[in-house]
Amino acid sequence: MDPWFEVKKKDVIAVLEKHKGCFPWGGSADEKYGCLVFWDEGKILMSVDSFYESGDDTYECNRCYMAFIGNALEDYTRLTEAELAEKAYSAWCSGAR
């Protein structure tokens, strides 16, 4: 199975850029990580640092750097900054293995 897959922009909830200065990233406040939050088959997922815009209406995402957020928009909107950072860090570490 190809690790890269397509996400339509109509399914994107947010494209975020965050600083790595908070736990669990450590003290790398000058570094940033990117998150693409999107719907996929009724679930909200997050791709971390392994996505790019591939056309006018699509992104390409690497499955290895993904995290599950929830099944409802509220699951995403209720996340604190710390919870978002923890999910992103976990997805990044999983993908790096």
Side-chain angles (χ1 to χ4, degrees):
M1 175 188 303
D2 187 359
W4 292 92
F5 71 99
E6 191 175 89
V7 173
K8 298 288 185 191
K9 286 188 178 177
K10 68 176 181 59
D11 295 324
V12 172
I13 296 167
V15 180
L16 309 170
E17 186 175 86
K18 302 285 188 177
H19 288 278
K20 290 183 177 180
C22 64
F23 178 83
W25 291 99
S28 305
D30 56 330
E31 294 180 37
K32 295 180 180 179
Y33 65 95
C35 295
L36 181 71
V37 181
F38 59 95
W39 286 102
D40 183 50
E41 296 181 7
K43 299 178 284 193
I44 298 176
L45 302 174
M46 173 194 318
S47 179
V48 179
D49 271 351
S50 192
F51 63 91
Y52 63 92
E53 204 168 345
S54 62
D56 289 341
D57 64 341
T58 58
Y59 285 92
E60 292 290 324
C61 296
N62 190 313
R63 294 177 200 283
C64 300
Y65 292 85
M66 290 183 33
F68 172 76
I69 292 180
N71 295 311
L73 189 57
E74 293 78 25
D75 296 332
Y76 168 66
T77 58
R78 284 190 230 150
L79 284 177
T80 66
E81 285 293 318
E83 290 169 333
L84 181 72
E86 190 174 321
K87 285 185 178 287
Y89 183 75
S90 178
W92 182 81
C93 286
S94 292
R97 288 185 214 157

